[in-house]
Amino acid sequence: MRFGILGPLDVRTPEGDPADPGGPRPRALLTLLLLEAGNAVSVERLTDGLYGERPPAGAANALQSQVSRLRKRLGVAIETGTAGYRLVVDPADVDAHRFERLARGGREALASGEPARAAALLREALGLWRGPALADLPGARAPRTRLEELRLAAVQDRIDADLGTGGGPGLVPELRELLADRPLSERLYGQLMRALHAGGRAAEALAVYEEARGTLARELGADPSAELAALHLELLRGAEPSRRAGVPAPLTPLVGRADELARVRGLLARSRLVTLTGPGGAGKTRLALEAAEGPGAGGVCFVELAPLADGSRVTYAVLGALGVRDGFHARGGDAVERLLAALEGRELLLVLDNCEHVVDDAARTVGLLLGACPGVRVLATSREALGITGEALCPVPPLAAAPAARLFLERAVAVRPDFAPHARVDGAPEGGSRAALVDSVCAALDGLPLAIELAAARLRTLTLDELAARLDDRFRLLSRGDRTKAPRHRTLHAVVEWSWELLDDEERELARRLTVFPAGATLDAVAAVCGVPYPEDPLASLAEKSFVEAAGGRYRMLETIRAYCSRHLAEAGEEDALRAAHAAYFLRFAEEGAPRLHGGEQVVWLDRLAADHGNLEAALRHHVRTDPRAGLRLTAALSWYWRLRGLYGQRAPLAAELLAAVGDDVPDGLAEEYVLCLLNAVAGEGDAPGEPERLARADDLLASLEGPLRRPFLIVLWSLASGPRRKADDRIRAQIGADPWGRALLDLGCGFQEQLAGRIAPSETAFARALAGFRGTGDRWGMANCLDPLAMYADWRGERQRALALLDEGLVHVRQLAAPEETADMLHQRATVLLHGGALEEAAEHFRLSGDLARTAGVRDKVATSLRGLGDVARLRGEPARARGHYEEALEACAANWFSVAETARILVGLGRAACAESRADEAAEWFEQARVLALDSPGTGFGERAEVAEALAVTATGPEEAARLLGAAAGLRGTLIAGDPDVAPVERAARARLAPKTYEEAFERGRRDPAAALTR
């Protein structure tokens, strides 16, 4: 049996049916025994708990009688012994003990640096509470106080976990409410400060500290703790990593740029677009990073444009830096529109680095952003201006003599700790010292910071006078050359060329070959592609000489150095062979990773593929040009990675280019790969040129494939790309074969098909089988997609705690997949469960958090969904005017595409219900009629939306019999009515009250058998 004492006593049989222990006295006795489940409770303690300090005569006999009645009434085992009475029950079957175990596990996960897991455990623990603890034991002050304190600690631990996963802004209302009851809690003050700061409300965060200091002084005569004071100081300094998306952390202090830094910050205070201009190597990027760090910068997002092959990728680079992903489900739309949606209403400084080679496209993107998003500012670095009206230019000149020398000396000491700048140089005239020679070196390098740093790094192997002599020899011609040439070729090019001359033959060979990796490389990739035996030593040497950066097991060239070395690759006649080897290696790499994306290594391989995303794209482009068959293989191998990481918006043009290269004939043995290429070439908009033909071709080819598919995920991509018009047929079962992941996938598809048909029991069974299958493979994507509908079914039956537990597990999986859109979906589903259970405040907070994530991801439809949810909460609170405002805002947020139609129908239903709440029956009927027409006439609506429309129409039905018939139609469409639905339950009760039971059931059954007729007017 299952027992609940965190609220009114709740006893459930193994089948889940409620069991009644009797009146107040037996309920109190059972509560006392459950507090010590599995352990003996003394007679004295039980009598004290039942009767207080003055038990009646014969209390022991009365207690024995109560125990006997409990045994008979509930069928539970209560043992009697010298130590007292013992209820034979597993503590795990008592919610209070289960709560303590889960809360302890959440606290341990939090301490171990696993905030997502901690949040899931703590939410499950807190979800067990149904009201005040020990409600049937009025005198149990001490144990009640203990449980309430544990509950508060769990709430605060959960808040810490949410802060650790980026949930700060949505926590503010909850924290303020908690502080109102506990105004002396320093931990709550600290959490509120962190939540406000994470939401960009730094001033409010600092004000909270002052509020805490005043309250503690007034009530306790004490100052804030050292921990709270340290947090205050941290916020004063602006340290908030979570609001600095992708901003590199400088490893060294900025030298000699105080004037320029002050000017940049001054310009940023007055202008929304500031562009740092100057020659390559002048330190524009470093200056931009420092300016973004300054006070008043607010949220910052850093976008590196140097790796882009062409300007068409600028928008996607910004989306990627913002963390915007398209998600699991097909979603078309223009990338610019998606970017504008992601930045709508946000306060952000966007740092666009290295714009020069994509300056036209960068300028267009910046112009659109500044025009549409008033809270966005842009700090760009480029060798030429963007040329936009209102642009403030800040030239970054070479360093003056004194700061240039200081930079050289700091970097020199870093590589040679024994370097003494004021020591005499052998053979120098009187007064000649290293300081004077440093000045001459810096002058020869034109004061360019990158050139100075490269020169100082060479002091690992050269003396200062040797260095000075070589610089004089190497730069004589270039320093006095053609002034019309680009600065890079007069200065920085010379520095890199000089550095190149210092490499030995083996190092030069590897350096030029490394240029085929646009995104850096692992040691294995270098060994396989570059053809250099034992590359560890030359790689280490190149890293020491600043030709490559080594970090996290990867080697990457600075872009300037890579551009210089690639010229030598072409001159050596090695370019074609190396690019072919690079493409072949990454084809093997992708094909090795593809099957691992379906199992326990899913997250690891997603990260590995993401780290080499630029290399994989370069390999695919090479294959498109030179070997379309290999291009089809690579496209197929990457298709599931693209889907899981939400990158399908970027792959459509390249897939279309590959299709053109392959031609109309399907290559032998590559039919599946060809179908995947067709699907990848579909943008998801439904009416794009050539899209219907590609989908039809994919359908025909898929129908012709026999036997088990080598790539069963093809079925998923096909169904997502095809939209709601197509459903899988019987041939798919044979195409899936016996692969465990494929069988789980088949069960997942069957679950959705049964769901669409309104057959709940077989649908739930299929989802449960699929979940078990995906658990067996370790696929988080599969598990999340099963847990969501299983939670929905549990909610429909009224099993709210089970639904929340399933969703919490799903949230862990989608967060591990770095999928904000799917996280928003699950938070919305969780909010719906809470709403059905009457937890309106918590539901509202979930809806808000879901909307925030959807807004960050640039998904307008799901922003609309969250707004509708807030409207539902407001309406159920008795605030119809406020609800109507949310619904109207939701309508505006809906995008004009087929998958937003269902959401629009639900919003119209909400508007109708709000009108009903204000006694405007005619207006309500109009809204419901619009929803009915939309639901019946649009292919984008399914059983769920039509069921909700039927339930809404029952509100304004002409009589109770029609209401019963419409409720039956809803049950027929969905498969059931939702237990405890606060909108439907009152309508059902009213209809039953006005009809004879038989009449109600007959009308309900007519609607259930023919829902279409009930909805047709």
Side-chain angles (χ1 to χ4, degrees):
M1 299 182 73
R2 306 282 280 188
F3 303 90
I5 57 177
L6 299 178
L9 180 65
D10 184 55
V11 182
R12 298 278 169 171
T13 68
E15 292 75 29
D17 298 322
D20 184 8
R25 196 60 54 77
R27 296 175 73 86
L29 172 60
L30 181 57
T31 301
L32 285 166
L33 292 170
L34 289 169
L35 273 171
E36 299 292 339
N39 297 317
V41 187
S42 69
V43 172
E44 292 77 14
R45 185 172 173 186
L46 291 173
T47 54
D48 284 348
L50 291 174
Y51 303 108
E53 296 179 356
R54 297 181 179 179
N61 292 332
L63 174 62
Q64 185 176 8
S65 176
Q66 294 283 3
V67 169
S68 178
R69 282 198 289 271
L70 265 183
R71 289 190 186 111
K72 292 177 182 178
R73 193 174 185 102
L74 297 180
V76 295
I78 305 177
E79 296 178 349
T80 306
T82 57
Y85 293 97
R86 173 178 174 268
L87 177 63
V88 183
V89 62
D90 186 344
D93 291 332
V94 183
D95 60 359
H97 300 288
R98 197 158 65 253
F99 161 75
E100 290 194 49
R101 177 176 57 80
L102 289 166
R104 185 167 53 253
R107 187 164 55 254
E108 291 170 355
L110 190 60
S112 301
E114 303 176 84
R117 180 168 165 266
L121 290 170
L122 291 162
R123 279 197 169 82
E124 183 179 354
L126 293 166
L128 296 172
W129 286 73
R130 296 167 290 104
L134 312 181
D136 292 271
L137 198 61
R141 179 177 299 176
R144 181 181 298 109
T145 299
R146 175 181 173 274
L147 285 169
E148 292 291 350
E149 288 175 350
L150 290 174
R151 181 186 192 182
L152 175 60
V155 168
Q156 291 176 300
D157 287 341
R158 193 221 79 225
I159 290 170
D160 275 338
D162 286 343
L163 286 167
T165 55
L171 298 170
V172 172
E174 178 185 9
L175 282 164
R176 290 199 185 281
E177 186 175 338
L178 289 169
L179 266 172
D181 294 332
R182 301 163 186 84
L184 300 179
S185 171
E186 289 195 70
R187 185 179 181 187
L188 288 173
Y189 280 120
Q191 290 176 326
L192 178 56
M193 289 165 65
R194 291 164 59 199
L196 286 166
H197 201 263
R201 298 155 70 178
E204 292 180 62
L206 297 175
V208 168
Y209 177 77
E210 297 304 324
E211 176 188 341
R213 182 161 60 181
T215 301
L216 294 171
R218 186 171 56 255
E219 300 295 330
L220 303 177
D223 291 327
S225 65
E227 291 79 7
L228 194 62
L231 175 60
H232 179 239
L233 182 60
E234 179 184 345
L235 298 187
L236 279 173
R237 291 172 174 167
E240 186 53 63
S242 64
R243 298 182 60 241
R244 299 180 58 78
V247 182
L251 300 178
T252 57
L254 184 67
V255 176
R257 292 297 191 193
D259 292 343
E260 290 86 350
L261 182 58
R263 182 167 183 234
V264 174
R265 288 176 175 168
L267 289 172
L268 282 172
R270 302 189 300 272
S271 176
R272 293 180 58 214
L273 171 60
V274 177
T275 303
L276 307 185
T277 60
K284 300 184 296 295
T285 300
R286 184 69 178 80
L287 181 59
L289 291 174
E290 197 74 19
E293 185 74 36
V300 182
C301 178
F302 183 86
V303 187
E304 172 60 82
L305 300 181
L308 301 189
D310 58 78
S312 65
R313 318 297 290 177
V314 169
T315 303
Y316 290 113
V318 180
L319 284 169
L322 288 167
V324 175
R325 287 169 170 72
D326 292 339
F328 297 145
H329 306 294
R331 186 168 300 281
D334 181 71
V336 172
E337 175 66 20
R338 191 166 174 79
L339 176 59
L340 295 178
L343 291 174
E344 185 179 26
R346 294 181 64 179
E347 298 285 336
L348 185 74
L349 175 63
L350 199 63
V351 181
L352 298 181
D353 193 36
N354 292 311
C355 298
E356 53 268 5
H357 64 304
V358 290
V359 65
D360 291 338
D361 293 273
R364 277 192 290 272
T365 301
V366 169
L368 286 169
L369 288 178
L370 295 177
C373 306
V376 173
R377 294 175 297 151
V378 176
L379 176 59
T381 73
S382 177
R383 279 187 285 166
E384 62 177 298
L386 300 187
I388 298 176
T389 301
E391 180 182 28
L393 298 179
C394 183
V396 181
L399 288 172
R406 189 163 71 251
L407 175 63
F408 183 94
L409 294 173
E410 286 191 9
R411 302 302 187 260
V413 171
V415 299
R416 287 276 298 273
D418 60 343
F419 185 76
H422 297 292
R424 283 184 55 81
V425 179
D426 293 339
E430 187 68 26
S433 68
R434 287 188 176 178
L437 195 53
V438 166
D439 288 340
S440 69
V441 168
C442 293
L445 295 176
D446 295 327
L448 290 170
L450 179 58
I452 291 169
E453 292 183 341
L454 288 171
R458 297 301 172 263
L459 292 178
R460 293 188 184 99
T461 55
L462 297 175
T463 65
L464 180 58
D465 52 339
E466 287 173 341
L467 174 63
R470 291 181 66 88
L471 282 173
D472 183 68
D473 181 62
R474 289 294 178 181
F475 291 158
R476 182 178 296 113
L477 178 61
L478 290 175
S479 64
R480 299 183 182 183
D482 187 350
R483 293 181 181 272
T484 65
K485 296 294 185 182
R488 166 179 279 184
H489 292 283
R490 288 190 283 121
T491 55
L492 187 58
H493 181 274
V495 173
V496 179
E497 185 170 46
W498 162 77
S499 300
W500 172 267
E501 293 294 332
L502 295 177
L503 303 180
D504 61 29
D505 289 342
E506 184 183 27
E507 291 166 349
R508 290 180 190 175
E509 179 183 60
L510 182 55
R512 66 174 180 258
R513 293 180 180 182
L514 284 173
T515 62
V516 299
F517 295 100
T522 62
L523 184 61
D524 289 342
V526 173
V529 174
C530 294
V532 175
Y534 311 110
E536 296 91 339
D537 291 340
L539 274 173
S541 180
L542 288 172
E544 290 175 357
K545 297 177 180 180
S546 301
F547 250 71
V548 299
E549 296 174 333
R554 296 184 66 83
Y555 298 87
R556 178 181 178 273
M557 279 186 160
L558 293 174
E559 196 60 32
T560 300
I561 295 176
R562 179 172 171 263
Y564 174 86
C565 295
S566 63
R567 187 190 68 183
H568 289 276
L569 182 70
E571 291 173 353
E574 298 174 335
E575 186 170 11
D576 291 344
L578 264 292
R579 296 203 183 283
H582 174 273
Y585 172 82
F586 282 101
L587 173 58
R588 294 192 301 272
F589 176 70
E591 290 186 329
E592 178 188 1
R596 288 172 167 80
L597 294 178
H598 306 307
E601 298 177 274
Q602 187 176 58
V603 172
V604 172
W605 270 91
L606 276 172
D607 290 342
R608 289 189 64 182
L609 291 166
D612 274 306
H613 181 79
N615 287 317
L616 292 164
E617 184 171 291
L620 182 54
R621 290 186 180 279
H622 180 83
H623 284 314
V624 169
R625 292 191 303 270
T626 64
D627 187 356
R629 283 183 61 92
L632 286 175
R633 289 171 54 198
L634 183 53
T635 296
L638 292 175
S639 291
W640 196 238
Y641 157 68
W642 288 334
R643 174 57 52 183
L644 292 180
R645 275 294 158 93
L647 300 170
Y648 58 83
Q650 303 182 33
R651 46 88 173 125
L654 193 55
E657 187 179 340
L658 177 57
L659 285 174
V662 172
D664 294 333
D665 296 331
V666 180
D668 292 340
L670 296 178
E672 291 180 39
E673 288 77 1
Y674 191 87
V675 172
L676 281 166
C677 193
L678 284 167
L679 297 176
N680 281 308
V682 172
E685 298 173 359
D687 57 354
E691 185 169 300
E693 292 79 7
R694 286 173 181 154
L695 284 174
R697 184 87 191 280
D699 286 348
D700 293 342
L701 287 172
L702 187 58
S704 69
L705 297 177
E706 297 180 358
L709 295 175
R710 290 174 288 108
R711 306 177 188 274
F713 65 83
L714 167 59
I715 299 298
V716 180
L717 301 186
W718 167 73
S719 60
L720 291 175
S722 298
R725 300 180 304 279
R726 297 170 168 81
K727 293 193 299 183
D729 54 34
D730 293 339
R731 74 180 188 272
I732 291 178
R733 187 173 298 276
Q735 292 175 329
I736 290 294
D739 173 68
W741 186 87
R743 302 303 297 179
L745 180 65
L746 182 63
D747 284 328
L748 179 66
C750 290
F752 282 117
Q753 286 187 3
E754 296 291 349
Q755 184 186 85
L756 289 171
R759 295 188 288 267
I760 294 178
S763 173
E764 188 168 20
T765 299
F767 283 129
R769 282 198 312 268
L771 178 60
F774 286 127
R775 284 197 199 282
T777 68
D779 184 347
R780 292 165 178 80
W781 172 87
M783 287 187 275
N785 273 269
C786 296
L787 289 162
D788 197 342
L790 287 172
M792 182 179 69
Y793 289 146
D795 176 44
W796 288 0
R797 288 192 298 271
E799 298 172 5
R800 306 269 136 75
Q801 294 307 313
R802 171 172 167 74
L804 294 175
L806 292 169
L807 289 168
D808 286 344
E809 181 186 348
L811 280 166
V812 172
H813 296 318
V814 294
R815 283 169 175 154
Q816 287 176 331
L817 292 171
E821 185 177 337
E822 288 67 40
T823 303
D825 286 341
M826 286 202 151
L827 285 171
H828 188 276
Q829 183 75 284
R830 202 176 195 281
T832 302
V833 175
L834 291 166
L835 183 142
H836 288 160
L840 297 183
E841 293 301 323
E842 195 174 354
E845 187 56 40
H846 277 64
F847 283 129
R848 277 191 286 269
L849 182 55
S850 172
D852 289 344
L853 286 171
R855 193 172 288 106
T856 299
V859 189
R860 293 182 186 275
D861 300 328
K862 296 185 180 181
V863 173
T865 301
S866 69
L867 290 168
R868 172 178 55 82
L870 290 172
D872 291 342
V873 170
R875 180 170 49 77
L876 292 172
R877 279 180 182 154
E879 302 172 353
R882 186 175 181 183
R884 188 167 59 253
H886 285 307
Y887 293 139
E888 290 170 352
E889 192 177 353
L891 272 182
E892 292 178 6
C894 266
N897 42 46
W898 63 263
F899 41 79
S900 69
V901 173
E903 182 55 38
T904 301
R906 285 190 163 108
I907 296 169
L908 295 173
V909 166
L911 284 165
R913 292 190 184 279
C916 280
E918 294 179 309
S919 301
R920 298 200 304 273
D922 291 343
E923 180 185 337
E926 291 177 6
W927 287 120
F928 292 155
E929 176 62 15
Q930 289 185 46
R932 184 189 72 83
V933 172
L934 188 63
L936 292 179
D937 294 350
S938 302
T941 57
F943 75 94
E945 296 77 37
R946 294 175 188 178
E948 290 186 33
V949 169
E951 289 164 343
L953 290 170
V955 176
T956 56
T958 55
E961 193 166 341
E962 184 188 357
R965 187 164 65 97
L966 286 164
L967 292 177
L973 288 163
R974 185 190 291 115
T976 185
L977 295 180
I978 298 173
D981 187 325
D983 282 320
V984 177
V987 180
E988 182 183 6
R989 284 195 300 269
R992 286 184 181 276
R994 295 174 61 190
L995 294 173
K998 182 179 180 182
T999 305
Y1000 177 90
E1001 296 300 337
E1002 288 176 349
F1004 186 92
E1005 183 61 22
R1006 285 198 304 275
R1008 191 192 63 78
R1009 284 198 309 267
D1010 192 359
L1015 281 173
T1016 303
R1017 293 183 174 180

